[in-house]
């Protein structure tokens, strides 16, 4: 195990859902938070040769526990995510985690940028590459741009040489996505958005990366080319009330679920971020004492990028970790 002094942490929608009781198997008294960047201050007794030398290293923590390298899915009964008992959480001044989950933070990133990476970056990496098999020249649609996973998916796809388009209900977010490398975007509030995006892209899509689900899923099937894939990493819009199955099988299309990712994928994600010098998009950096306010801001959905929190040791007055 390693003790890590947290220098910056970041919020995810999961933290908000746990706070509101909208997450399975909630354990009261849990310290929330799956994302942080910090410095190793101690390692457990009996550590292997060389591990004590990691004291002082700046690290990010893989939030995926019990999932080492299996590609298909996490091992049944062993997978967990930081931020829910019996596992520790990162919205704190210090966290104690298994040492093998601590990875060197990309050197080109600030503490706040590195803290924004773990959960959203890992989720996006698995969705884009392990499940979507995205490669150069493929036409990719990313829905709901502005959230952490969608933005990382955009940055990863652009770095891989894909032709990326996005959707949002905000014209400002669409413009900012284009500045990050998207070739264009459409407003999903428009009833004809699915036709507009196909026209804009001059063709249908190889891959759609979606975290919303809901009734929009039927239109996502319609924008796919033959043999195309929808990668679903979430369902913020709920389950679809109806889905016409005919376009799905007539196109030989697939819907692939994707959750988080393994430690092996986390390592590959960090390598890609370092190789391409990708910088996470940050919406704001606030003291940890404003955790609840930032959760309310996240619920409102206006952010573009990650909400980062700095522990109270750097922002007086001090306070206790964010708990349920």
């Amino acid at each position: 195990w390693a003790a890590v002094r947290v220098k910056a942490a970041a919020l995810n929608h999961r933290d908000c859902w746990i706070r509101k009781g909208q997450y399975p198997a909630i354990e009261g008294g849990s310290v929330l938070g799956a994302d942080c960047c910090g410095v190793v201050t101690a390692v457990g007794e009996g550590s292997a040769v060389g591990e004590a030398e990691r004291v002082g290293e700046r690290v990010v923590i893989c939030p995926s526990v019990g999932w080492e390298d299996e590609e298909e899915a996490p091992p049944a009964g062993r997978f967990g995510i930081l931020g829910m008992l019996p596992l520790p959480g990162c919205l704190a001044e210090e966290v104690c985690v298994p040492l093998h989950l601590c990875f060197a933070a990309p050197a080109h990133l600030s503490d706040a940028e590195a803290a924004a990476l773990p959960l959203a970056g890992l989720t996006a990496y698995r969705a884009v590459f392990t499940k979507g098999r995205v490669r150069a020249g493929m036409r990719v649609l990313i829905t709901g741009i502005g959230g952490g996973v969608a933005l990382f998916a955009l940055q990863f796809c652009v770095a891989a040489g894909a032709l990326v388009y996005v959707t949002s209900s905000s014209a400002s977010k669409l413009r900012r996505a284009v500045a990050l490398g998207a070739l264009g975007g459409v407003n999903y509030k428009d009833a004809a958005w699915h036709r507009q995006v196909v026209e804009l892209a001059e063709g249908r899509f190889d891959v759609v990366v979606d975290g919303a689900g809901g009734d929009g899923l039927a239109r996502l099937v319609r924008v796919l080319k033959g043999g195309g894939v929808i990668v679903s990493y979430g369902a913020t819009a709920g389950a679809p009330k109806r889905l016409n199955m005919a376009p799905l099988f007539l196109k030989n299309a697939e819907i692939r679920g994707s959750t988080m990712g393994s430690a092996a994928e986390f390592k590959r994600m960090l390598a890609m971020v370092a190789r391409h010098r990708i910088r996470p998009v940050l919406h704001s950096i606030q003291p940890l004492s404003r955790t609840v306010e930032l959760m309310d801001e996240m619920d409102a959905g206006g952010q573009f990028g990650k909400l980062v929190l700095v522990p109270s040791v750097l922002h007086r007055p001090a306070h206790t970790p964010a708990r349920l």
Side-chain angles (χ1 to χ4, degrees):
W1 286 73
V4 177
R5 185 177 74 251
V6 176
K7 301 190 74 174
L11 286 179
N12 292 287
H13 280 290
R14 174 177 180 262
D15 301 311
C16 299
W17 296 329
I18 293 171
R19 175 191 172 210
K20 294 186 293 184
Q22 298 175 348
Y23 199 82
I26 292 174
E27 292 286 343
S30 295
V31 177
L32 302 181
D35 290 348
C36 75
C37 173
V39 175
V40 176
T41 58
V43 296
E45 293 183 8
S47 297
V49 175
E51 289 184 344
E53 297 175 4
R54 299 195 66 185
V55 172
E57 182 180 357
R58 192 177 75 122
V59 298
V60 288
I61 302 172
C62 177
S64 183
V65 181
W67 187 1
E68 299 306 323
D69 57 8
E70 296 85 352
E71 183 171 302
E72 292 78 14
R78 300 210 327 257
F79 174 60
I81 303 171
L82 296 181
M84 177 80 78
L85 286 172
L87 298 171
C90 295
L91 296 182
E93 294 173 356
E94 191 168 49
V95 61
C96 190
V97 296
L99 183 58
H100 73 273
L101 295 179
C102 297
F103 292 77
H108 71 288
L109 299 182
S110 68
D111 294 336
E113 290 171 328
L117 268 177
L119 189 148
L122 177 58
T123 301
Y125 185 91
R126 177 172 174 82
V128 168
F129 297 114
T130 306
K131 304 307 290 274
R133 309 289 185 187
V134 170
R135 57 188 184 275
M138 293 179 72
R139 198 177 283 121
V140 180
L141 176 66
I142 299 169
T143 66
I145 202 67
V149 178
L151 283 169
F152 279 124
L154 167 60
Q155 291 175 292
F156 293 163
C157 286
V158 169
L163 310 174
V164 189
Y165 296 82
V166 299
T167 72
S168 175
S169 61
S170 163
S172 173
K173 290 183 179 182
L174 293 175
R175 288 194 297 271
R176 295 178 72 178
V178 169
L180 288 170
L183 297 177
V186 298
N187 189 324
Y188 63 75
K189 296 288 188 180
D190 192 307
W193 74 261
H194 54 297
R195 291 192 289 272
Q196 293 169 0
V197 77
V198 170
E199 181 178 349
L200 181 66
E202 299 181 343
R204 300 186 185 275
F205 291 87
D206 298 281
V207 178
V208 175
V209 180
D210 176 60
D215 291 334
L217 185 62
R219 289 181 177 177
L220 296 183
V221 175
R222 293 174 69 178
V223 305
L224 285 177
K225 66 188 297 184
V229 173
I230 296 171
V231 180
S232 170
Y233 65 86
T236 56
K241 294 183 178 66
R242 56 180 297 173
L243 177 64
N244 183 356
M245 298 298 292
L248 193 63
F249 61 74
L250 289 173
K251 285 188 172 185
N252 285 273
E254 299 179 50
I255 300 175
R256 299 176 184 166
S258 187
T259 299
M260 288 281 289
S262 67
E265 288 166 318
F266 190 76
K267 182 178 181 179
R268 292 197 293 271
M269 181 271 291
L270 292 178
M272 182 178 193
V273 167
R275 183 168 63 254
H276 292 279
R277 300 188 69 80
I278 293 169
R279 306 195 84 98
V281 180
L282 306 185
H283 181 76
S284 68
I285 304 172
Q286 300 290 336
L288 192 58
S289 56
R290 295 198 64 233
T291 296
V292 172
E293 295 167 74
L294 262 65
M295 284 183 173
D296 291 339
E297 184 176 340
M298 178 172 274
D299 276 337
Q303 75 275 7
F304 189 88
K306 295 287 288 184
L307 301 171
V308 175
L309 297 151
V310 177
S312 58
V313 289
L314 301 178
H315 283 267
R316 301 299 182 189
H319 74 288
T320 56
R323 294 184 180 271
L324 291 180

